[in-house]
């Protein structure tokens, strides 16, 4: 069974540009969430999608957005990039929501390394 | 809102030593608890999880963790570490939905 797949793995962008990152969850998983990992701030939750609806959002500016498609694949977009957006962006998937049952185990992809110059 | 704190930022130990990493969380309701590991240059991998039942959970690679509800703690242990356990370890809490709140991480260096 394939894991969570993220593309692209590495990218370099210039300040002011925008970027779109893609995530394919584990087959059958309907929940997709995104995290930003930086040395200074650690792992921070960006947002979560379930059945194409955003269910939860972290404390990030509106420049960060996402969406989920009917096949559960997800994209996140960052507009007007800033140097501080340089980070590893992690996508995670889960079979379901809630806090009961092993279907709520969250699995991570390898991440997309974004460098803003 | 929940928060997670990991007591040690860096731990250095020799092979065969025992490892214990502390994790405390703050949240009044029911939670799921996780430990993830990130080996150098690799992605986050699930070590173990606690949902309910036996508070002592066993994970992969000989790791185990104990959930102590009264102390809001979920400490990770391994009786005898190997050089290959060098990694960063993250404790995480999940309440409703699928939002994980992570601790700051503990970098573990095992000297051969």
């Amino acid at each position: 069974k394939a894991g969570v797949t993220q593309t692209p793995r590495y990218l370099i962008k210039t300040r002011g540009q925008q970027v779109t990152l893609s995530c394919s969850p584990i087959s059958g998983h309907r929940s997709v969430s995104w995290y930003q990992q930086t040395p200074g701030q650690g792992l921070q939750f960006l947002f979560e999608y379930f059945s194409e609806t955003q269910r939860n959002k972290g404390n990030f500016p509106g420049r960060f957005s996402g969406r989920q498609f009917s096949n559960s694949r997800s994209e996140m977009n960052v507009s007007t990039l800033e140097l501080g957006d340089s980070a590893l962006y992690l996508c995670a998937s889960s079979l379901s929501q809630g806090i009961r049952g092993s279907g709520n185990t969250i699995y991570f992809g390898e991440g997309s390394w974004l460098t803003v110059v | 809102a929940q928060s997670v704190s990991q007591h040690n930022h860096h731990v250095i130990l020799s092979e065969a030593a025992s490892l214990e990493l502390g994790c405390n969380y703050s949240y009044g309701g029911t939670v799921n608890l996780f430990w993830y590991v990130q080996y150098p240059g690799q992605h986050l991998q699930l070590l173990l999880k606690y949902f309910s039942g036996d508070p002592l959970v066993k994970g992969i690679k000989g790791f185990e963790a104990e959930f102590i509800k009264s102390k809001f703690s979920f400490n990770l242990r391994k009786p005898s570490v190997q050089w290959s356990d060098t990694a960063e370890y993250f404790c995480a809490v999940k309440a409703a939905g699928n939002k994980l709140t992570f601790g700051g991480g503990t970098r573990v260096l095992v000297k051969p």
Side-chain angles (χ1 to χ4, degrees), chain B residues 58-77:
Chain B
K58 295 192 184 299
I60 61 172
K61 306 186 180 187
F63 286 91
E64 64 179 30
E66 185 177 13
F67 170 51
I68 303 179
K69 190 174 182 180
S70 60
K71 295 184 178 179
F72 297 90
S73 71
F74 189 54
N75 294 350
L76 180 71
R77 297 193 291 254

Side-chain angles (χ1 to χ4, degrees), chain B residues 9-79:
Chain B
H9 297 297
H10 294 91
V11 171
I12 301 174
L13 58 167
S14 300
E15 277 192 314
S18 64
L19 173 70
E20 179 158 1
L21 302 181
C23 171
N24 284 90
Y25 68 94
S26 67
Y27 185 74
T30 303
V31 294
N32 296 155
L33 298 158
F34 303 85
W35 276 97
Y36 286 89
V37 60
Q38 191 170 33
Y39 298 103
Q42 296 189 27
H43 64 292
L44 281 170
Q45 299 175 40
L46 180 68
L47 264 183
L48 47 76
K49 61 194 177 189
Y50 173 79
F51 290 143
S52 63
D54 188 345
L56 184 62
V57 292
K58 295 192 184 299
I60 61 172
K61 306 186 180 187
F63 286 91
E64 64 179 30
E66 185 177 13
F67 170 51
I68 303 179
K69 190 174 182 180
S70 60
K71 295 184 178 179
F72 297 90
S73 71
F74 189 54
N75 294 350
L76 180 71
R77 297 193 291 254
K78 185 169 183 178

Side-chain angles (χ1 to χ4, degrees), chain A residues 4-6 21-26 28-35 45-56 66-69 71-76 90-97 106-107, chain B residues 98-99:
Chain A
V4 180
T5 305
Q6 292 186 243
L21 308 177
S22 181
C23 172
S24 293
I26 293 171
H29 284 195
R30 296 169 61 195
S31 170
V32 173
S33 48
W34 290 88
Y35 294 80
F45 171 79
L46 279 157
F47 26 65
E48 179 210 350
Y49 289 87
F50 186 82
S51 295
E52 301 178 67
T53 303
Q54 188 179 90
R55 302 295 177 128
N56 220 333
R67 59 178 175 168
Q68 186 181 33
F69 302 96
N71 61 0
S72 294
R73 194 175 67 83
S74 177
E75 288 180 348
M76 67 162 283
L90 294 166
C91 175
S93 78
S94 174
L95 191 61
S96 61
Q97 287 192 310
I106 298 174
Y107 299 94
Chain B
N98 276 337
K99 173 186 174 182

